[in-house]
Amino acid sequence: MRKLKAQIIDEAGFERTITRLAHEILEKNKGAGNLVIVGIRTRGEFIARRITRKIEEVEGVTLPIGSLDITLYRDDLLGKLEQPQLKGTDIIFDLNDKDIILIDDVLYTGRTIRAALDELIDLGRPKSIQLAVLIDRGHRQLPIRADYVGKNVPTSSSESIRVHVKEVDGEDAVLLMHPELPN
Amino acid sequence: MPLKSRHLLGLDGMGREDIQLIIDTAVSFREVLERPIKKVPPLQGKTIANMFFENSTRTRLSFELAERRLSADVLGFQATGSSVSKGETLKDTARNIEAMKVDMVVMRHSASGAPHYLASVIDANVINAGDGGHEHPTQALLDMYTIRERLGRLEGLHVCIVGDIAHSRVARSNIFGLKTMGAKVSVCGPATMIPREIEKMGVDVYHHIDDVLPSVNVLNVLRIQLERDAGRLFPSIREYHNYYGITRQRLDKAGRAITILHPGPINRDVEISADVADSEHSVILQQVLNGVAIRMAVLYLLSSRN
Amino acid sequence: MQILLKNGRLIDPVSGRDEELDMHIADGTLAKIGKNLSVPAAQVIELRGKMVAPGFCDMHVHLREPGFEHKETILTGVSSAAAGGFTAVCCMPNTNPPIDDESVVRFIQAKARIALNGLVDVYPVAAVTKERKGEHLSPMAELADAGAIAFTDDGDPVHDAEIMRRALEYAAMFGKPIIQHAQNLPLTQGGAMNEGYVATLLGIPGMPPAGEDVVVARDILLARYTGGHYHVAHVSTAGAAELLRQAKARGEEVSGEVTPHHFTLTDEAVKTYDTNTKMNPPLRTAADVDALRKALKDGTIEVIATDHAPHSFDEKQVEFQYAPFGIVGLETAVGLTITELVSTGVLTLMQMVEKLSTNPRRILRLPPIRIAEGERANLTIIDPSLQWVVDPSTFRSKSKNTPFGGRKLTGKPFGIINNGEVFWN
């Protein structure tokens, strides 16, 4: 059981961060033109939907949105006692020549993003892939960086970051948890 | 949530959650099969031996495809021309293959219980690709997947298996699996092809196909073994086709939508007429693709249980 | 050699006695029988709580020699019989060469004489047909003269009705029974277990009970017609038991035997695919087991015989379909009989002795064992209340193919005395 250390983002802050990320994406890409949105399951998918809705509000364009299950591409499957449950990849549009905005909730070691990149390349040949994350908590183990960051939160590796979304957890918040207490 | 056993020997005794997990996992793999690059890496570095002591092209190819799509290394082994024909026992054949550090074995064998025996003498995961007249679990799993894909559910459906039930491992696995998932199961065939006391498995027995059609949602039509059974278990192909063949006239007379499955290969115009096999009611081709997805799901779910 | 058996409970169907008695045995002969005996020169064997019976005779044993010595030899088979409490066994002719020539009879007799110094009497059962092929009668008169005690083609049935008719007629001339392994071959073709619900579940081809019953029905009619003596080996079905009951009620000279595994296990045991549950005839249903016990109780089936069928470890370590039929039985027979039949009230100890000693000897026309002063001692000594666990690794048989490993039994053979030899377990 972990104890709460601090609330990094509250409900209002969540909405503001989503808004800022949407604007940054539109600014850097000079509009919504060739963009498609892909959210990494599970919570990245919800963040992706919020950003897509915000872009629709601001630019009047509804971008194609899909969700990616990276389970089959994880690099830690061999050591596991049981295979993790598959959540399913759901991308119905063509990725070829598109600029993908890949969205996840927390960027940590970078391994999840590495798996996502491998899977996206197996699905097609995008023109570019840009990464947007709600939180970057440091401790990269691979040379991966995000193009758009909601908030940088320095953490120790024994702490943990929890992202809650209304759809699943009943609230929008980002929480920083203390290290796991020994029994 | 792992599967309860580290082998897939049969659906007899497999719980609802496990069957559900396999079918749900297969949905993801079905999506992979639609991609331009139909390959995912989870079984990279794993070696799978396909030991087929009985002739089978379609099941063997389906498993091989599933294994390669998961990036596993595949060892194919066929009985004829192998050491088995020189008198090596199953146990020694298996031990030799295991000595080569194989992670999983997929086996088809003509003796019921052979995979159970194999699982007791080697360490690798054992997947039953058909043992004698006993079980063919991946076939029943893909049949259930296909039915659910077409009709949206399994619970409460009336599924009838038609043909030589007595010799059919496909029938037995389907009966075990469908009953676990809450379907109503019946069998239909000449009395000579219905095994003793099969009602005790919880199925209804019909000898006349026209009695089933008014209430059935799905027909799983089994292949008749022409070479073995004509003259002994039934008089002739003509008689079998006239009384048990699934034809357009029969289905039209029933006046209801009935989904048609067949494990293949089809004897056209024996147990099923050509126009039914190719009709909109038939999901026979979907079964083939779903088979690869189901086998991928099984291999994926078992692969870490060492 | 002098031994004094003290306080053993003599259970003897021939004289009808059930009482505690002492017995003084001098050089293999019963010197004195009475109470409170004292013989200073003799070795005293305390038998309080144990029972003494006329020596048991197993009418159905496969000794495998000549030809299959990797499964069992006459020496190891005799040791196994002694450990099982048997002073006599009848050995089956499916050896290689088969017992269809008097030279093989004499070979077996010679081997038996030197096995443990002749401790166990071995009575060869000769083949009904040449090479057991079912086509030509074997030289039955010659075989009988050499010492064959009965005739059977066991392992296989005598399939042809005409051959069975002629065999019954011919053997009747010298008073020898024809023992039939009752199996209709076309009906049971390819079968590896009983045809029934369990076979349906497991997808294993089955042998219908009718496959045994039709042969018994046919043979009973032939026996009646010819006046021959007919004995059914290893009865396994309710149907066959009922046919025997009706024939006996008509006064016909028919008899049958049942094995301990057939009155103990059902085809449910096959669900493990353990090849030690594969035998011919196969394990049947609970209803059949019930009927066999009733038949033992009311005297329809007069004999318990093991059908001891040793197979080497490797031979049984294969897929169920391909494994050879048969299990060993000599060393578990007494334990199973007491646990399953005596403790449950199906048989009394006296009736058990009838099934294992008196009746088989009568059917085989062997002289009854008289437990009286001056007679040769031929005794089986049992501890009827000893609780033990079956451990196949301790079997004296060369083979350990039994489904009863680990089973708790009540009643164990303590020893045998026969032909001037003594054997303690």
Coordinates of all heavy atoms in Angstrom, one line a residue, chain C residues 356-394:
Chain C
L356 N -10.9 -70.1 -3.5 CA -9.5 -70.1 -3.9 C -8.9 -71.4 -3.8 O -7.7 -71.6 -4.3 CB -8.8 -69.1 -2.9 CG -9.0 -67.6 -3.3 CD1 -8.6 -66.7 -2.1 CD2 -8.3 -67.2 -4.5
S357 N -9.5 -72.4 -3.2 CA -8.8 -73.7 -3.0 C -9.7 -74.9 -3.4 O -9.5 -75.6 -4.4 CB -8.4 -73.9 -1.6 OG -7.8 -75.2 -1.4
T358 N -10.8 -75.1 -2.7 CA -11.6 -76.3 -2.9 C -12.2 -76.3 -4.3 O -12.1 -77.4 -4.9 CB -12.8 -76.3 -1.8 OG1 -12.3 -75.7 -0.6 CG2 -13.3 -77.7 -1.6
N359 N -12.9 -75.2 -4.7 CA -13.6 -75.3 -6.0 C -12.7 -75.4 -7.2 O -12.9 -76.2 -8.1 CB -14.5 -74.0 -6.1 CG -15.6 -74.1 -5.1 OD1 -15.9 -75.1 -4.4 ND2 -16.3 -72.9 -4.9
P360 N -11.6 -74.6 -7.3 CA -10.7 -74.8 -8.4 C -10.2 -76.2 -8.5 O -10.1 -76.8 -9.6 CB -9.6 -73.7 -8.2 CG -9.8 -73.1 -6.9 CD -11.2 -73.4 -6.4
R361 N -9.8 -76.8 -7.4 CA -9.3 -78.1 -7.4 C -10.3 -79.1 -7.9 O -10.0 -80.0 -8.7 CB -8.7 -78.5 -6.1 CG -7.5 -77.7 -5.6 CD -6.9 -78.2 -4.3 NE -6.3 -79.4 -4.5 CZ -5.0 -79.6 -4.7 NH1 -4.2 -78.5 -4.8 NH2 -4.4 -80.8 -4.9
R362 N -11.6 -78.9 -7.5 CA -12.6 -79.8 -7.9 C -12.9 -79.7 -9.4 O -13.0 -80.7 -10.1 CB -13.9 -79.5 -7.1 CG -15.0 -80.5 -7.3 CD -16.4 -80.1 -6.8 NE -16.9 -79.0 -7.6 CZ -17.2 -77.8 -7.2 NH1 -17.0 -77.5 -5.9 NH2 -17.7 -76.9 -8.0
I363 N -12.9 -78.5 -9.9 CA -13.2 -78.3 -11.3 C -12.1 -78.9 -12.1 O -12.3 -79.4 -13.2 CB -13.4 -76.8 -11.6 CG1 -14.7 -76.3 -11.0 CG2 -13.3 -76.4 -13.1 CD1 -14.9 -74.8 -11.0
L364 N -10.9 -78.8 -11.6 CA -9.7 -79.3 -12.4 C -9.5 -80.8 -12.1 O -8.6 -81.4 -12.6 CB -8.5 -78.6 -12.0 CG -8.4 -77.1 -12.4 CD1 -7.3 -76.4 -11.6 CD2 -8.2 -77.0 -13.9
R365 N -10.4 -81.4 -11.4 CA -10.3 -82.9 -11.0 C -9.1 -83.2 -10.3 O -8.5 -84.3 -10.4 CB -10.4 -83.8 -12.3 CG -11.5 -83.4 -13.2 CD -12.9 -84.1 -12.8 NE -13.6 -84.5 -13.9 CZ -14.5 -83.8 -14.6 NH1 -14.7 -82.6 -14.3 NH2 -15.1 -84.3 -15.6
L366 N -8.5 -82.2 -9.5 CA -7.4 -82.5 -8.7 C -7.9 -83.1 -7.4 O -9.0 -82.8 -6.9 CB -6.6 -81.2 -8.3 CG -5.8 -80.6 -9.5 CD1 -5.3 -79.2 -9.1 CD2 -4.6 -81.5 -9.8
P367 N -7.1 -84.0 -6.7 CA -7.6 -84.6 -5.5 C -7.8 -83.5 -4.4 O -7.0 -82.6 -4.3 CB -6.5 -85.5 -5.1 CG -5.3 -85.1 -5.9 CD -5.8 -84.5 -7.1
P368 N -8.9 -83.6 -3.6 CA -9.0 -82.6 -2.6 C -7.9 -82.7 -1.5 O -7.4 -83.7 -1.3 CB -10.4 -82.9 -1.9 CG -10.7 -84.3 -2.4 CD -9.9 -84.5 -3.6
I369 N -7.6 -81.5 -1.0 CA -6.5 -81.5 0.1 C -7.2 -81.9 1.4 O -8.1 -81.3 1.9 CB -5.9 -80.1 0.2 CG1 -5.2 -79.7 -1.1 CG2 -4.9 -80.1 1.3 CD1 -4.8 -78.3 -1.2
R370 N -6.6 -83.1 1.9 CA -7.2 -83.5 3.2 C -6.2 -83.1 4.3 O -5.0 -83.3 4.3 CB -7.3 -85.0 3.2 CG -8.4 -85.5 2.4 CD -8.7 -87.0 2.6 NE -9.2 -87.5 1.3 CZ -10.4 -87.2 0.8 NH1 -11.2 -86.4 1.5 NH2 -10.9 -87.7 -0.3
I371 N -6.8 -82.3 5.2 CA -5.9 -81.9 6.4 C -6.2 -82.9 7.5 O -7.1 -82.8 8.3 CB -6.2 -80.5 6.8 CG1 -6.0 -79.6 5.6 CG2 -5.4 -80.1 8.0 CD1 -6.2 -78.1 5.8
A372 N -5.4 -84.0 7.5 CA -5.6 -85.1 8.4 C -4.2 -85.7 8.7 O -3.3 -85.6 7.9 CB -6.5 -86.1 7.9
E373 N -4.1 -86.4 9.8 CA -2.8 -87.0 10.1 C -2.5 -88.0 9.1 O -3.3 -88.8 8.7 CB -2.9 -87.6 11.5 CG -3.0 -86.5 12.6 CD -3.3 -87.1 14.0 OE1 -3.3 -88.3 14.1 OE2 -3.6 -86.3 14.9
G374 N -1.2 -88.0 8.6 CA -0.7 -88.9 7.6 C -0.7 -88.3 6.2 O -0.1 -88.9 5.3
E375 N -1.5 -87.2 6.0 CA -1.5 -86.6 4.7 C -0.3 -85.7 4.5 O 0.2 -85.1 5.5 CB -2.8 -85.8 4.5 CG -4.1 -86.7 4.6 CD -4.3 -87.6 3.4 OE1 -3.8 -87.2 2.3 OE2 -5.0 -88.6 3.6
R376 N 0.0 -85.5 3.2 CA 1.1 -84.5 2.9 C 0.5 -83.1 3.2 O -0.7 -82.8 3.0 CB 1.4 -84.6 1.4 CG 2.1 -85.9 1.0 CD 3.5 -86.0 1.5 NE 4.5 -85.2 0.8 CZ 5.7 -85.0 1.3 NH1 6.0 -85.4 2.5 NH2 6.5 -84.2 0.7
A377 N 1.4 -82.3 3.8 CA 0.9 -80.9 4.2 C 0.9 -80.0 3.0 O 1.9 -79.9 2.3 CB 1.8 -80.3 5.2
N378 N -0.3 -79.5 2.7 CA -0.4 -78.5 1.6 C -1.3 -77.4 2.1 O -2.5 -77.5 2.1 CB -1.1 -79.2 0.4 CG -1.2 -78.3 -0.8 OD1 -1.2 -77.1 -0.7 ND2 -1.4 -78.9 -2.0
L379 N -0.6 -76.4 2.7 CA -1.3 -75.4 3.5 C -1.0 -73.9 3.0 O 0.1 -73.6 2.6 CB -0.9 -75.5 4.9 CG -1.1 -76.8 5.6 CD1 -0.4 -76.9 6.9 CD2 -2.6 -77.1 5.8
T380 N -2.0 -73.1 3.2 CA -1.8 -71.7 3.0 C -2.1 -71.0 4.3 O -3.2 -71.3 4.9 CB -2.8 -71.1 1.9 OG1 -2.4 -71.6 0.6 CG2 -2.8 -69.6 1.9
I381 N -1.2 -70.1 4.7 CA -1.4 -69.5 6.0 C -1.5 -68.0 5.8 O -0.7 -67.4 5.1 CB -0.2 -69.8 6.9 CG1 -0.1 -71.3 7.1 CG2 -0.3 -69.0 8.3 CD1 1.3 -71.8 7.6
I382 N -2.5 -67.4 6.3 CA -2.8 -66.0 6.1 C -3.0 -65.2 7.4 O -3.5 -65.7 8.3 CB -4.2 -65.9 5.3 CG1 -4.0 -66.5 3.9 CG2 -4.6 -64.5 5.1 CD1 -5.2 -66.6 3.1
D383 N -2.6 -64.0 7.4 CA -2.9 -63.1 8.5 C -4.1 -62.2 8.0 O -3.9 -61.3 7.2 CB -1.7 -62.2 8.8 CG -2.0 -61.3 10.1 OD1 -3.2 -61.2 10.4 OD2 -1.0 -60.8 10.7
P384 N -5.3 -62.6 8.4 CA -6.5 -61.9 7.8 C -6.8 -60.5 8.2 O -7.6 -59.8 7.7 CB -7.7 -62.9 8.2 CG -7.2 -63.5 9.4 CD -5.7 -63.6 9.4
S385 N -6.1 -60.1 9.3 CA -6.4 -58.7 9.8 C -5.2 -57.8 9.6 O -5.3 -56.6 10.0 CB -6.9 -58.7 11.2 OG -6.1 -59.6 11.9
L386 N -4.1 -58.2 9.0 CA -3.0 -57.3 8.8 C -3.3 -56.2 7.8 O -3.7 -56.5 6.7 CB -1.8 -58.2 8.3 CG -0.5 -57.4 8.1 CD1 0.0 -56.8 9.4 CD2 0.6 -58.2 7.5
Q387 N -3.0 -55.0 8.2 CA -3.2 -53.9 7.3 C -1.9 -53.6 6.6 O -0.9 -53.5 7.3 CB -3.6 -52.6 8.1 CG -4.7 -52.8 9.1 CD -6.0 -52.3 8.6 OE1 -6.1 -51.9 7.4 NE2 -7.0 -52.2 9.4
W388 N -1.9 -53.5 5.3 CA -0.7 -53.2 4.6 C -1.0 -52.4 3.3 O -2.1 -52.2 2.9 CB 0.0 -54.5 4.2 CG -0.8 -55.5 3.4 CD1 -1.9 -56.1 3.7 CD2 -0.5 -55.8 2.0 NE1 -2.3 -56.9 2.7 CE2 -1.5 -56.8 1.6 CE3 0.5 -55.5 1.1 CZ2 -1.5 -57.4 0.3 CZ3 0.5 -56.1 -0.2 CH2 -0.5 -57.0 -0.5
V389 N 0.1 -51.8 2.8 CA 0.0 -51.0 1.6 C 0.7 -51.6 0.5 O 1.9 -52.1 0.6 CB 0.6 -49.6 1.9 CG1 0.5 -48.7 0.6 CG2 -0.2 -48.9 3.0
V390 N 0.1 -51.8 -0.7 CA 0.7 -52.4 -1.8 C 1.9 -51.6 -2.3 O 1.7 -50.5 -2.7 CB -0.4 -52.6 -2.9 CG1 0.3 -53.3 -4.1 CG2 -1.5 -53.5 -2.4
D391 N 3.0 -52.3 -2.4 CA 4.2 -51.6 -2.9 C 4.8 -52.5 -4.0 O 5.5 -53.5 -3.8 CB 5.2 -51.5 -1.8 CG 6.5 -50.8 -2.3 OD1 6.6 -50.4 -3.5 OD2 7.5 -50.7 -1.5
P392 N 4.5 -52.2 -5.3 CA 4.9 -53.0 -6.4 C 6.4 -53.3 -6.5 O 6.9 -54.4 -7.0 CB 4.5 -52.3 -7.7 CG 3.4 -51.3 -7.2 CD 3.8 -51.0 -5.8
S393 N 7.2 -52.4 -5.9 CA 8.7 -52.6 -6.0 C 9.1 -53.8 -5.1 O 10.2 -54.4 -5.3 CB 9.4 -51.4 -5.5 OG 9.2 -51.2 -4.1
T394 N 8.2 -54.3 -4.2 CA 8.5 -55.5 -3.4 C 8.0 -56.8 -4.0 O 8.2 -57.8 -3.4 CB 7.9 -55.3 -2.0 OG1 6.5 -55.3 -2.1 CG2 8.4 -54.1 -1.3

